Amino acid sequence: MLTIRDTQFQSLSLDLQLRNPRPYLDHLRQRHPEWVAEHDDAEALELVRGAVRSAHGYALSSTRDVCRFLDLVVIFGADWSGEAHAWLHEALVGSTSETAPRRLGRLLQQAMHRLEAAAA
C-alpha cells in the first residue's frame, strides 16, 4: 500500500495548480475585470502563480481558498511585508487554533470592514 503524506499531497496540489492556472485566470476575469483590463495576459499569469504559491505558504490549497486569497492580492497587492499591509499576513499566521481556511474567512471579513470604513 502506498502512503502519501500530507506534505507530499500539498506539493502535488501546488504543482497541479501552477500547471493549470485556468480556474484562477477565469476568477480574475469574472471578479476583477477592471484589473484584467489594465494588465496583459503575462501579468495576469504572473500574479496568479505568485498568489498560488503564497496561498500554499499559508496552508491554503483548495481552489476556493486560493481564489479568495487571490481577491486579497488584487485588492491589497502581493507584498504584505510593509507596515501598511502587515495585518493581512498577521491574520493568516496567527497563533489561534483555527484552520487556515477559517483564518482566511475571518481576514476577508476584516478586509471588507476596512474597505467600507475607507470608503465612508
Side-chain angles (χ1 to χ4, degrees):
M1 176 184 234
L2 179 65
T3 302
I4 298 177
R5 294 187 181 110
D6 190 48
T7 54
Q8 292 169 315
F9 181 76
Q10 294 300 324
S11 180
L12 288 171
S13 174
L14 173 61
D15 185 55
L16 287 172
Q17 288 176 332
L18 289 172
R19 287 182 189 206
N20 181 22
R22 177 69 43 213
Y24 311 110
L25 293 169
D26 290 345
H27 179 80
L28 270 181
R29 288 183 190 104
Q30 181 182 20
R31 299 290 183 168
H32 304 282
E34 67 289 343
W35 188 95
V36 171
E38 296 175 9
H39 298 84
D40 64 28
D41 290 346
E43 291 171 313
L45 187 57
E46 181 180 336
L47 180 80
V48 163
R49 286 185 173 150
V52 168
R53 285 187 185 99
S54 294
H56 276 259
Y58 290 112
L60 301 166
S61 58
S62 74
T63 300
R64 179 177 184 261
D65 287 342
V66 174
C67 285
R68 292 168 24 160
F69 183 85
L70 181 59
D71 292 336
L72 292 170
V73 169
V74 169
I75 294 167
F76 296 104
D79 183 10
W80 297 356
S81 62
E83 185 104 5
H85 295 102
W87 62 276
L88 293 156
H89 170 75
E90 291 300 320
L92 289 176
V93 298
S95 60
T96 67
S97 62
E98 290 179 310
T99 64
R102 286 195 187 268
R103 285 193 298 269
L104 176 62
R106 195 170 23 87
L107 174 57
L108 288 165
Q109 290 176 343
Q110 185 180 4
M112 289 299 296
H113 290 296
R114 284 181 180 242
L115 291 170
E116 288 169 357

